[in-house]
Amino acid sequence: MTKPNFAELGLATELLDALRQENYETPTPIQSQAIPPLLEGRDLLGVAQTGTGKTAAFVLPILQRLSDQPTKAISRRPQALILAPTRELAIQIGEAVVAYGQNLHLRHAVIFGGVGQGPQIQKSVRGVHILVATPGRLLDLVRNGHIYLDKLETLVLDEADRMLDMGFIHDIRKIMTLLPEKRQSVLLSATMPRDIERLARNLLSDPLKVAISPKAVTVERIEQYVYFPNNADKFSQMLAVLEDPDLSRVIVFTRTKHRANRVAEFLAKNDIAAEAIHGNKSQGARQKALKNFREGETRILVATDIAARGIDIDDISHVINFEIPNEPANYVHRIGRTARAGSDGVAISFCSPDERPYLRDIEHLIKRSLIDAEHRPFMANIPKKPKTGQRSKGQPSGKSKRGPGKRRGSAASGGGKSFDPIKSRARPGRRRRQAVAA
Ligand code: AMP
């Protein structure tokens, strides 16, 4: 059987050219399944997480349908609205609109809270075809008469479960009362709890259902290792793992903002370029940290689950779970970052004794056991148990000097993202160093 291609999905030449420009060769499963019915105007209920190519699956049909019936953008009245839970996700969707729509003459704006309204209002008054928005700021502008939704033809609710988690349900219900009856609606969610099902029933009409199983991402493509240190040993164990330069672009996950800060500070003290992103950081600080990470200035991004969801960064070599998530679905979201749109990845978890129940839930969800790194070592020279005598209780100690991580295994060096335990074990000269306390 030949591979599916974008032209077969019915996309226009301008979009095919843009996809070539982006180096997309074949559609991902959600793109193959969702694009043809969306082009025909059907509603869609998609269960898919970040990394599946879901953004292109809904942005491409919106662009095509708008360019098929070229109308001038109407002042204050967008024709397509894409709602996203966070500003980061909204910005990324805006970037996708620009990239895929580069050969079309459609106008768009991205609006979100935490910044001045002036420029956003100006854009809306001039008129945009496509509006990407977070719910709160959208409603502010609607209330003040800067945006009307009565000419809307397509609505997309992206990461609907996250929106509900973040308390946007009332805003979304309010927005739903403002929409015209006749419209196309799309709801995407990584999970499908009961309240999302209820929302979908109210929003969608005879939707096509597409489910892209996270299992395909976690089970088949990602090598998943686990270490079992005590809480006190996690810091030094993480440093030992980071000795491997193959860990070139790493997201370290924690459950709390406080712990994210501690981990980032600890790494920085040990001369590893790291920055934390979480909800307590200002918009500017988060954008700066993401930019530094994207550009390879920082090797490690330390993130909480909420801060990381929806962030689109390619070429993540490894995900480290410094703390095991207490929501098993979050494990899938976390490690999905290292295997984006079909490439391989490696996830390394540190599971302390009190986190064992969380690990059991995760293994139950993904229907497989993580590889015990001490028995099938991820790196052979990591001591089975870090020597606790070398540090004060609860903290590693000592001094270490290391340079920032060399970018290896990324597209820039021509390497892939797959992890080779044999190669990794055989590499000489790797020594465990002592850590500077956080
Ligand atoms: P998303 O799930 O929309 O967040 O997309 C994840 C990543 O996959 C983004 O970096 C996209 O640029 C990339 N991507 C989406 N579709 C494709 C495709 N068909 N081929 C290659 N990369 C893709």
Side-chain angles (χ1 to χ4, degrees):
M1 223 174 75
T2 53
K3 278 189 181 176
N5 65 53
F6 282 107
E8 283 166 5
L9 302 182
L11 291 172
T13 322
E14 291 87 346
L15 295 172
L16 295 175
D17 287 346
L19 293 171
R20 247 189 308 278
Q21 198 79 29
E22 294 295 303
N23 291 322
Y24 293 4
E25 287 169 8
T26 48
T28 65
I30 192 168
Q31 290 162 3
S32 304
Q33 291 173 53
I35 290 175
L38 287 179
L39 286 174
E40 284 171 12
R42 267 197 82 170
D43 283 7
L44 181 100
L45 175 61
V47 185
Q49 57 174 315
T50 303
T52 52
K54 66 183 170 71
T55 315
F58 63 77
V59 168
L60 290 166
I62 288 177
L63 291 168
Q64 177 142 332
R65 282 166 62 83
L66 287 170
S67 64
D68 277 350
Q69 31 133 14
T71 46
K72 270 184 81 177
I74 313 165
S75 173
R76 298 186 170 88
R77 288 180 158 83
Q79 285 156 269
L81 170 66
I82 302 169
L83 284 176
T86 62
R87 36 197 146 196
E88 285 86 2
L89 184 60
I91 289 169
Q92 269 166 35
I93 295 170
E95 287 167 358
V97 170
V98 172
Y100 309 145
Q102 57 186 277
N103 303 316
L104 302 171
H105 303 285
L106 296 168
R107 296 156 61 102
H108 86 286
V110 182
I111 65 169
F112 45 79
V115 294
Q117 295 189 351
Q120 299 177 356
I121 294 171
Q122 271 172 22
K123 279 199 173 168
S124 174
V125 171
R126 280 183 64 202
V128 294
H129 295 96
I130 303 170
L131 184 66
V132 187
T134 53
R137 176 54 61 92
L138 175 73
L139 277 181
D140 287 345
L141 298 194
V142 165
R143 281 191 198 104
N144 294 325
H146 302 302
I147 293 174
Y148 295 86
L149 299 177
D150 55 344
K151 289 274 183 271
L152 209 70
E153 292 168 16
T154 306
L155 169 79
V156 177
L157 226 79
D158 195 12
E159 301 209 350
D161 53 349
R162 192 40 112 207
M163 290 213 218
L164 264 49
D165 274 2
M166 293 174 70
F168 285 132
I169 186 66
H170 297 296
D171 288 353
I172 289 170
R173 288 221 185 95
K174 174 78 196 146
I175 290 165
M176 279 165 65
T177 65
L178 305 170
L179 306 174
E181 272 286 302
K182 191 172 164 301
R183 59 165 197 267
Q184 179 181 37
S185 307
V186 177
L187 185 149
L188 287 158
S189 191
T191 55
M192 203 39 70
R194 219 168 268 150
D195 43 1
I196 297 286
E197 276 175 13
R198 213 171 303 131
L199 181 67
R201 268 199 302 278
N202 291 331
L203 185 76
L204 308 172
S205 144
D206 183 28
L208 178 84
K209 295 183 182 132
V210 173
I212 302 300
S213 150
K215 211 173 132 215
V217 179
T218 59
V219 174
E220 284 153 31
R221 297 217 172 100
I222 303 172
E223 290 179 59
Q224 300 164 59
Y225 296 87
V226 60
Y227 288 99
F228 295 100
N230 289 320
N231 273 320
D233 295 329
K234 281 191 177 184
F235 284 95
S236 53
Q237 186 114 48
M238 176 173 60
L239 270 195
V241 166
L242 288 171
E243 295 258 307
D244 186 340
D246 274 354
L247 282 80
S248 55
R249 200 195 315 235
V250 183
I251 300 192
V252 175
F253 281 98
T254 62
R255 285 197 299 267
T256 64
K257 300 168 196 171
H258 171 70
R259 186 53 60 94
N261 281 340
R262 286 223 17 226
V263 169
E265 282 161 21
F266 169 77
L267 291 171
K269 273 189 191 161
N270 283 281
D271 293 330
I272 295 181
E275 283 185 85
I277 53 160
H278 52 66
N280 287 1
K281 298 245 167 179
S282 70
Q283 159 83 345
R286 279 196 284 172
Q287 293 296 344
K288 187 160 171 283
L290 281 174
K291 181 167 178 286
N292 288 342
F293 186 60
R294 270 204 189 96
E295 292 175 356
E297 292 286 314
T298 17
R299 177 182 170 204
I300 317 266
L301 190 68
V302 189
T304 54
D305 292 290
I306 290 192
R309 277 265 306 256
I311 291 169
D312 173 22
I313 297 170
D314 288 330
D315 275 340
I316 304 285
S317 65
H318 296 69
V319 163
I320 291 182
N321 293 310
F322 186 81
E323 292 176 307
I324 306 288
N326 49 4
E327 278 285 333
N330 278 345
Y331 176 81
V332 175
H333 293 305
R334 287 181 179 189
I335 73 166
R337 327 283 326 189
T338 177
R340 323 220 71 197
S343 60
D344 295 336
V346 182
I348 304 159
S349 299
F350 296 119
C351 179
S352 56
D354 56 312
E355 293 175 315
R356 291 275 186 145
Y358 302 153
L359 182 64
R360 259 198 306 280
D361 289 347
I362 289 164
E363 292 183 332
H364 181 71
L365 176 76
I366 64 171
K367 298 189 177 66
R368 85 177 207 183
S369 300
L370 272 52
I371 301 166
D372 181 342
E374 289 191 9
H375 294 112
R376 234 186 87 191
F378 166 71
M379 278 171 53
N381 59 338
I382 295 178
K384 283 212 183 322
K385 296 256 182 301
K387 290 176 206 145
T388 41
Q390 289 178 334
R391 66 186 73 84
S392 60
K393 195 167 185 295
Q395 285 298 327
S397 65
K399 194 127 186 81
S400 146
K401 278 281 159 212
R402 71 193 64 227
K406 225 180 352 156
R407 291 278 314 271
R408 288 252 317 248
S410 67
S413 63
K417 273 185 267 178
S418 63
F419 168 69
D420 177 357
I422 307 301
K423 178 177 134 234
S424 190
R425 270 202 294 277
R427 193 175 300 121
R430 203 178 288 128
R431 263 183 312 112
R432 182 168 160 268
R433 295 175 197 153
Q434 288 177 317
V436 177

